[in-house]
Amino acid sequence: MAASKDRVFSGARPTGRQHLGNYLGAIQNYVALQDQFQCIYCIVDLHALTTVETTVDLRTNVQEMALDWLAAGIRPEETIVFVQSNVPEVTELHTILSMVTSLGKLTDLPTFKEKARLQPHNINYGLVGYPVLMTADIVLYKAKWVPVGIDQAPHIEFAREVVRSFNHRYDTQTLLEPQMKSTEVPKVLGTDGVQKMSKSLDNHIELAATPGETVKRVMTMVTDPQRKLRSDPGNPDVCNVFSMHMVFSSTDEVSMIDLECRRAGIGCVDCKKLFAKNINAHLKPFRSRRNELQKDQDRVWDILRDGAKRASQIASQTMQEVRAAVGLP
Ligand code: TRP
């Protein structure tokens, strides 16, 4: 029998259609990890409840995100893709873990402080416990590796501490300390060229956009702010369009732009048109796979249900061990 592969777990809140920032920051990496690991990717709808006050779009957001993941190359035959709330054991584990968690540590986390600052009118109990639920996600599936962006580092460190206190308190080895698998990706800025690309800031470029919509979005991108006139030389080093060319365009094109921009040989409009053309070409196979998948809405939900079934098998095994370790009758 082949040696079993290490397990990877990652979760993402259901934010609907994914954008270039999600793609470069997470999805691409999720896809690549499948070659080496047994991967479990979870759409964390319960976590979403900590920040949304209405769930009207939740179902659509889950579906759109799942479509993007699948079209991008997540392979549900080998990888488990599922919706968090479909495996309710996570909430039981969350409760049990909360008893070995220090409240002070939770309220000291920079991620909690930031969220509390953003929604002072809705500092709910779940928001404080967000990292405990995230810990439950990871340890329920005994994942060794957790691929996340650097902003999640405090949560992984926190998860490791919770695991240590659980194992210590109940004198057991049941839970596994996860490790962060940091993704080395450049910060993807939005069309404003200043802030991180994000749907809520409306500075994003959707993967599933049509080629025409993509061109429109790209044309609004802010370039080198010092370059006012077409005849002014530009500085690619401070231009967000140029950083995107470095990701999506050929090395020849990148060197051409680097040279021509600095001597006003190419203007920002042409530079953006070229970027839009390249990104549309790059996303063409993704978009056609997505269109295919979209024709059969049931298929995505079938895949998610099947993922939940497979995830449940692991979850119920872990919970048996946890209950026994804790001594619950
Ligand atoms: N907290 C993560 C985020 O905001 C999402 C998440 C929830 C997660 N559970 C997880 C990530 C488990 C990795 C593992 O991006």
Side-chain angles (χ1 to χ4, degrees), residues 22-37:
N22 305 127
Y23 180 65
L24 298 174
I27 302 172
Q28 242 183 5
N29 190 40
Y30 283 4
V31 172
L33 288 168
Q34 298 177 113
D35 295 337
Q36 256 191 76
F37 298 95

Side-chain angles (χ1 to χ4, degrees), residues 20 190-192 197 202-206 209-223 241 268-269 272-280 287:
L20 285 181
T191 47
D192 52 35
M197 187 175 286
D202 195 24
N203 64 2
H204 61 305
I205 299 174
E206 278 179 1
T210 63
E213 286 162 358
T214 308
V215 172
K216 256 196 209 147
R217 276 274 155 160
V218 169
M219 295 321 279
T220 69
M221 283 175 80
V222 174
T223 55
V241 177
C268 296
V269 171
K272 289 195 239 186
K273 278 188 185 150
L274 181 61
F275 171 59
K277 180 173 148 261
N278 290 348
I279 182 88
N280 278 333
R287 287 169 176 167

